[in-house]
Amino acid sequence: MTQATAGTTVSLHYTGTLADGTTFDTSEGRDPLTFEMGAGQIIPGLEAAVDGMAEGDSKTVTIPAADAYGARRDEAIQQVPREAVPDHIPLDLGTQLQVQTPDGQTMPVTVAEVTEAHVTLDANHPLAGQDLTFALELVKVA
């Protein structure tokens, strides 16, 4: 059987859950996730878990935060003056926004807190700081 190794293209079905059992993502009801091994297209821990699997193999793995989306970083949280945010921008807690950095890059942020004076924006990935468990089924290796 063909195994998933660097340079191969793999397709897999997955269900990702958090420590409390909440499903954060799944391919159920969709096409399998397809990516090239070794190309850095998915989180490192998931790629390491798939490495060496063969078509038809299934397993469940827990990936520590360091090998997923990393630790939460305090420096990724920033307060901006409320008046600096245009009135048409929705500021409900949890709203995902795009901001432009001083060097012109676009960065996703989440509204974490809103007061009369400030809006707190969090640029951490929503899954940062969390260990992730994946149920995997390797469908195809090419």
Side-chain angles (χ1 to χ4, degrees):
M1 273 193 195
T2 306
Q3 289 187 316
T5 57
T8 61
T9 298
V10 300
S11 296
L12 65 96
H13 279 294
Y14 66 92
T15 296
T17 56
L18 303 175
D20 66 3
T22 303
T23 298
F24 64 85
D25 195 12
T26 183
S27 65
E28 186 176 327
R30 303 187 318 224
D31 289 337
L33 173 67
T34 300
F35 61 94
E36 181 183 341
M37 292 288 295
Q41 298 170 332
I42 61 170
I43 58 174
L46 183 56
E47 187 166 33
V50 173
D51 191 37
M53 288 179 70
E55 285 184 17
D57 284 354
S58 295
K59 68 179 173 180
T60 299
V61 296
T62 298
I63 299 169
D67 294 326
Y69 293 99
R72 289 192 55 78
R73 299 175 302 117
D74 290 341
E75 64 272 16
I77 300 171
Q78 183 176 9
Q79 282 190 338
V80 296
R82 176 64 183 90
E83 64 270 8
V85 181
D87 289 337
H88 70 279
I89 303 292
L91 293 178
D92 298 320
L93 293 183
T95 299
Q96 302 259 327
L97 303 172
Q98 298 282 327
V99 297
Q100 193 167 21
T101 64
D103 63 359
Q105 298 290 330
T106 301
M107 177 176 33
V109 296
T110 302
V111 176
E113 182 180 36
V114 179
T115 68
E116 287 186 29
H118 292 95
V119 176
T120 303
L121 301 174
D122 186 349
N124 283 293
H125 188 282
L127 296 173
Q130 299 193 59
D131 296 342
L132 308 177
T133 299
F134 287 92
L136 306 172
E137 178 191 354
L138 189 58
V139 177
K140 183 177 181 182
V141 178

